[in-house]
mmCIF file with all atom_site columns, all heavy atoms in Angstrom:
data_model
loop_
_atom_site.group_PDB
_atom_site.id
_atom_site.type_symbol
_atom_site.label_atom_id
_atom_site.label_alt_id
_atom_site.label_comp_id
_atom_site.label_asym_id
_atom_site.label_entity_id
_atom_site.label_seq_id
_atom_site.pdbx_PDB_ins_code
_atom_site.Cartn_x
_atom_site.Cartn_y
_atom_site.Cartn_z
_atom_site.occupancy
_atom_site.B_iso_or_equiv
_atom_site.pdbx_formal_charge
_atom_site.auth_seq_id
_atom_site.auth_comp_id
_atom_site.auth_asym_id
_atom_site.auth_atom_id
_atom_site.pdbx_PDB_model_num
ATOM 1  N N   . ILE X 1 4  ? 90.928 98.683 97.668  1.00 0.00 ? 4  ILE X N   1
ATOM 2  C CA  . ILE X 1 4  ? 89.789 97.805 97.383  1.00 0.00 ? 4  ILE X CA  1
ATOM 3  C C   . ILE X 1 4  ? 90.304 96.394 96.741  1.00 0.00 ? 4  ILE X C   1
ATOM 4  O O   . ILE X 1 4  ? 89.826 95.401 97.187  1.00 0.00 ? 4  ILE X O   1
ATOM 5  C CB  . ILE X 1 4  ? 89.068 98.409 96.099  1.00 0.00 ? 4  ILE X CB  1
ATOM 6  C CG1 . ILE X 1 4  ? 88.258 99.687 96.676  1.00 0.00 ? 4  ILE X CG1 1
ATOM 7  C CG2 . ILE X 1 4  ? 88.024 97.526 95.426  1.00 0.00 ? 4  ILE X CG2 1
ATOM 8  C CD1 . ILE X 1 4  ? 87.082 99.290 97.605  1.00 0.00 ? 4  ILE X CD1 1
ATOM 9  N N   . ASP X 1 6  ? 93.003 94.704 97.609  1.00 0.00 ? 6  ASP X N   1
ATOM 10 C CA  . ASP X 1 6  ? 93.345 93.895 98.753  1.00 0.00 ? 6  ASP X CA  1
ATOM 11 C C   . ASP X 1 6  ? 92.262 93.451 99.607  1.00 0.00 ? 6  ASP X C   1
ATOM 12 O O   . ASP X 1 6  ? 92.185 92.276 100.122 1.00 0.00 ? 6  ASP X O   1
ATOM 13 C CB  . ASP X 1 6  ? 94.340 94.512 99.720  1.00 0.00 ? 6  ASP X CB  1
ATOM 14 C CG  . ASP X 1 6  ? 95.898 94.681 98.998  1.00 0.00 ? 6  ASP X CG  1
ATOM 15 O OD1 . ASP X 1 6  ? 95.938 93.855 98.072  1.00 0.00 ? 6  ASP X OD1 1
ATOM 16 O OD2 . ASP X 1 6  ? 96.742 95.356 99.536  1.00 0.00 ? 6  ASP X OD2 1
ATOM 17 N N   . MET X 1 7  ? 91.183 94.285 99.816  1.00 0.00 ? 7  MET X N   1
ATOM 18 C CA  . MET X 1 7  ? 90.060 93.878 100.467 1.00 0.00 ? 7  MET X CA  1
ATOM 19 C C   . MET X 1 7  ? 89.296 92.886 99.837  1.00 0.00 ? 7  MET X C   1
ATOM 20 O O   . MET X 1 7  ? 88.803 91.864 100.467 1.00 0.00 ? 7  MET X O   1
ATOM 21 C CB  . MET X 1 7  ? 89.160 95.138 100.734 1.00 0.00 ? 7  MET X CB  1
ATOM 22 C CG  . MET X 1 7  ? 89.724 96.050 101.671 1.00 0.00 ? 7  MET X CG  1
ATOM 23 S SD  . MET X 1 7  ? 90.008 95.327 103.360 1.00 0.00 ? 7  MET X SD  1
ATOM 24 C CE  . MET X 1 7  ? 88.360 94.978 103.903 1.00 0.00 ? 7  MET X CE  1
ATOM 25 N N   . LEU X 1 8  ? 89.184 92.843 98.578  1.00 0.00 ? 8  LEU X N   1
ATOM 26 C CA  . LEU X 1 8  ? 88.470 91.823 97.754  1.00 0.00 ? 8  LEU X CA  1
ATOM 27 C C   . LEU X 1 8  ? 89.251 90.513 97.801  1.00 0.00 ? 8  LEU X C   1
ATOM 28 O O   . LEU X 1 8  ? 88.710 89.341 97.854  1.00 0.00 ? 8  LEU X O   1
ATOM 29 C CB  . LEU X 1 8  ? 88.114 92.212 96.354  1.00 0.00 ? 8  LEU X CB  1
ATOM 30 C CG  . LEU X 1 8  ? 87.081 93.391 96.150  1.00 0.00 ? 8  LEU X CG  1
ATOM 31 C CD1 . LEU X 1 8  ? 86.936 93.881 94.751  1.00 0.00 ? 8  LEU X CD1 1
ATOM 32 C CD2 . LEU X 1 8  ? 85.684 92.810 96.668  1.00 0.00 ? 8  LEU X CD2 1
ATOM 33 N N   . LYS X 1 9  ? 90.655 90.558 97.768  1.00 0.00 ? 9  LYS X N   1
ATOM 34 C CA  . LYS X 1 9  ? 91.376 89.335 97.920  1.00 0.00 ? 9  LYS X CA  1
ATOM 35 C C   . LYS X 1 9  ? 91.202 88.743 99.276  1.00 0.00 ? 9  LYS X C   1
ATOM 36 O O   . LYS X 1 9  ? 91.160 87.516 99.423  1.00 0.00 ? 9  LYS X O   1
ATOM 37 C CB  . LYS X 1 9  ? 92.873 89.688 97.739  1.00 0.00 ? 9  LYS X CB  1
ATOM 38 C CG  . LYS X 1 9  ? 93.183 89.951 96.313  1.00 0.00 ? 9  LYS X CG  1
ATOM 39 C CD  . LYS X 1 9  ? 94.773 90.416 96.234  1.00 0.00 ? 9  LYS X CD  1
ATOM 40 C CE  . LYS X 1 9  ? 95.021 90.946 94.934  1.00 0.00 ? 9  LYS X CE  1
ATOM 41 N NZ  . LYS X 1 9  ? 96.429 91.512 94.692  1.00 0.00 ? 9  LYS X NZ  1
ATOM 42 N N   . TYR X 1 10 ? 91.095 89.605 100.377 1.00 0.00 ? 10 TYR X N   1
ATOM 43 C CA  . TYR X 1 10 ? 90.826 89.243 101.653 1.00 0.00 ? 10 TYR X CA  1
ATOM 44 C C   . TYR X 1 10 ? 89.515 88.460 101.842 1.00 0.00 ? 10 TYR X C   1
ATOM 45 O O   . TYR X 1 10 ? 89.491 87.340 102.402 1.00 0.00 ? 10 TYR X O   1
ATOM 46 C CB  . TYR X 1 10 ? 90.861 90.480 102.544 1.00 0.00 ? 10 TYR X CB  1
ATOM 47 C CG  . TYR X 1 10 ? 90.425 90.217 104.048 1.00 0.00 ? 10 TYR X CG  1
ATOM 48 C CD1 . TYR X 1 10 ? 91.316 89.489 104.961 1.00 0.00 ? 10 TYR X CD1 1
ATOM 49 C CD2 . TYR X 1 10 ? 89.271 90.742 104.489 1.00 0.00 ? 10 TYR X CD2 1
ATOM 50 C CE1 . TYR X 1 10 ? 90.993 89.329 106.128 1.00 0.00 ? 10 TYR X CE1 1
ATOM 51 C CE2 . TYR X 1 10 ? 89.014 90.597 105.963 1.00 0.00 ? 10 TYR X CE2 1
ATOM 52 C CZ  . TYR X 1 10 ? 89.832 89.874 106.712 1.00 0.00 ? 10 TYR X CZ  1
ATOM 53 O OH  . TYR X 1 10 ? 89.430 89.735 108.052 1.00 0.00 ? 10 TYR X OH  1
ATOM 54 N N   . ALA X 1 12 ? 87.762 87.004 99.286  1.00 0.00 ? 12 ALA X N   1
ATOM 55 C CA  . ALA X 1 12 ? 87.899 85.835 98.513  1.00 0.00 ? 12 ALA X CA  1
ATOM 56 C C   . ALA X 1 12 ? 88.619 84.798 99.285  1.00 0.00 ? 12 ALA X C   1
ATOM 57 O O   . ALA X 1 12 ? 88.361 83.537 99.275  1.00 0.00 ? 12 ALA X O   1
ATOM 58 C CB  . ALA X 1 12 ? 88.484 86.082 97.224  1.00 0.00 ? 12 ALA X CB  1
#
Side-chain angles (χ1 to χ4, degrees):
I4 292 291
D6 285 347
M7 290 299 295
L8 289 172
K9 288 176 189 173
Y10 174 70

